[in-house]
């Protein structure tokens, strides 16, 4: 999948995106119509070693090819069992309180990691778009103050979970979730549209950082994909057709 096709797929929602994995040669619109309801492990948008030295290749390989693959497989099984085939992951998870823990845990694991890989990119030193920067300045005071708040939240997660930057109305907020929960779930304490997230499960960092989660979080900023996060914000801000 080339970068342009990949970016395009992000705006088509989960169904289009997921279909891309197995039908990357098809035009995105066609792929969406043909989606058979099965969730596909999305392609990693870079090589396992592309985020070195901040995230090591071995961890990336295990995290993607074992953990994310397992969530995807188990989510498909749970969706099939619940008779939910045809709904997108976002549709299912936004009403997750109606479904089994298997849907919540594996659906969350499937979608959270799909976002996470795209919220990372080889270190370029790029910064947020002006539009996003203005919003971060308004709600947190500065980019650095936002990073401090997000990092502190990530460090504070007890056990396994995630920290998030979300958009909610005209506000940007930092929040955390436990396990594989996310802010799009109806059971989330703080709901919103995810712009940036970090996985603070030990499987995300323990081979390189052992117990030093704080070092992993500090290193994360070097590979945060501000282009993608800025696009997510533009997507959130763009009025939807009625
Ligand atoms: Mn993970």
């Amino acid at each position: 999948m080339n970068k342009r096709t990949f970016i395009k797929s992000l705006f088509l929602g989960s169904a289009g995106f997921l279909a891309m994995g197995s039908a990357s040669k098809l035009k995105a619109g066609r792929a969406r119509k043909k989606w058979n309801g099965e969730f596909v492990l999305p392609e990693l948008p870079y090589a396992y070693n592309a985020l070195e030295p901040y995230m090591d290749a071995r961890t990336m390989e295990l995290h993607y090819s074992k953990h994310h693959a397992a969530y995807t497989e188990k989510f498909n099984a749970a969706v099939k069992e619940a008779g939910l085939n045809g709904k997108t992951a976002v549709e299912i998870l936004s009403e997750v309180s109606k479904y089994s823990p298997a849907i919540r845990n594996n659906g969350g694991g499937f979608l959270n990691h799909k976002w996470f890989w795209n919220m990372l990119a080889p270190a370029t030193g790029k910064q947020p778009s002006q539009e996003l920067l203005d919003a971060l300045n308004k709600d947190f005071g500065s980019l650095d103050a936002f990073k401090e708040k997000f990092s502190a939240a990530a460090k504070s997660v007890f056990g396994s979970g995630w920290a998030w930057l979300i958009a909610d109305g005209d506000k940007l907020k930092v929040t955390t979730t436990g396990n594989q929960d996310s802010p799009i779930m109806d059971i989330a304490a703080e709901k919103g549209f995810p712009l940036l997230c970090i996985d603070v499960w030990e499987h995300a960092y323990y081979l390189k950082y052992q117990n030093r989660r704080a070092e992993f979080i500090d290193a994360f900023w070097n590979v945060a994909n501000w282009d993608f996060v800025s696009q997510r914000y533009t997507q959130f801000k763009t009025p939807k057709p009625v």
Side-chain angles (χ1 to χ4, degrees):
M1 191 183 313
N2 64 33
K3 189 174 180 193
R4 192 186 168 91
T5 310
F6 175 70
I7 297 294
K8 192 178 173 190
S9 73
L10 299 174
F11 290 87
L12 292 170
S14 299
F17 180 89
L18 296 163
M20 299 298 289
S22 57
S24 59
K25 295 290 186 283
L26 293 174
K27 285 206 159 65
R30 232 178 105 204
R32 180 173 197 169
K33 283 191 198 112
K34 281 176 163 289
W35 184 49
N36 66 2
E38 184 165 333
F39 297 100
V40 176
L41 181 67
E43 288 175 33
L44 198 65
Y46 35 72
Y48 291 135
N49 65 358
L51 308 181
E52 294 267 12
Y54 310 107
M55 295 191 192
D56 65 287
R58 184 71 180 132
T59 298
M60 287 299 298
E61 182 176 357
L62 290 170
H63 200 171
Y64 170 78
S65 71
K66 301 297 181 193
H67 293 279
H68 196 187
Y71 291 125
T72 304
E73 191 181 328
K74 290 176 184 172
F75 184 40
N76 275 315
V79 164
K80 198 171 176 186
E81 190 180 324
L84 296 171
N85 297 70
K87 285 181 184 275
T88 66
V90 170
E91 286 168 348
I92 293 169
L93 296 179
S94 62
E95 50 180 30
V96 77
S97 62
K98 293 159 65 173
Y99 306 126
S100 66
I103 296 265
R104 176 174 171 175
N105 293 333
N106 295 299
F110 167 74
L111 191 55
N112 289 354
H113 289 89
K114 193 188 90 170
W115 285 322
F116 185 49
W117 307 135
N118 290 295
M119 290 169 184
L120 302 172
T124 60
K126 282 190 181 176
Q127 296 297 302
S129 66
Q130 192 60 50
E131 183 186 36
L132 178 58
L133 196 57
D134 288 346
L136 290 167
N137 287 336
K138 176 174 80 68
D139 290 323
F140 301 104
S142 68
L143 177 60
D144 283 346
F146 155 67
K147 287 183 180 177
E148 272 178 40
K149 186 166 183 176
F150 183 97
S151 294
K155 289 168 191 174
S156 79
V157 172
F158 183 76
S160 298
W162 297 73
W164 305 85
L165 170 67
I166 57 172
D168 177 20
D170 60 357
K171 289 277 288 178
L172 297 184
K173 299 172 183 173
V174 166
T175 186
T176 62
T177 56
N179 300 316
Q180 296 295 355
D181 287 354
S182 87
I184 70 158
M185 292 182 172
D186 58 352
I187 45 87
E190 194 136 42
K191 294 185 229 355
F193 182 87
L195 300 177
L196 177 66
C197 62
I198 183 170
D199 185 345
V200 292
W201 283 59
E202 281 184 350
H203 70 223
Y205 61 84
Y206 76 102
L207 289 181
K208 180 177 174 73
Y209 296 94
Q210 289 89 45
N211 61 323
R212 303 187 305 278
R213 182 193 286 185
E215 276 183 39
F216 166 70
I217 293 165
D218 292 343
F220 160 82
W221 293 112
N222 293 287
V223 289
N225 184 356
W226 286 114
D227 282 349
F228 181 81
V229 176
S230 299
Q231 284 161 15
R232 292 274 299 174
Y233 187 57
T234 301
Q235 185 186 356
F236 175 77
K237 297 284 283 185
T238 303
K240 302 191 176 40
V242 287

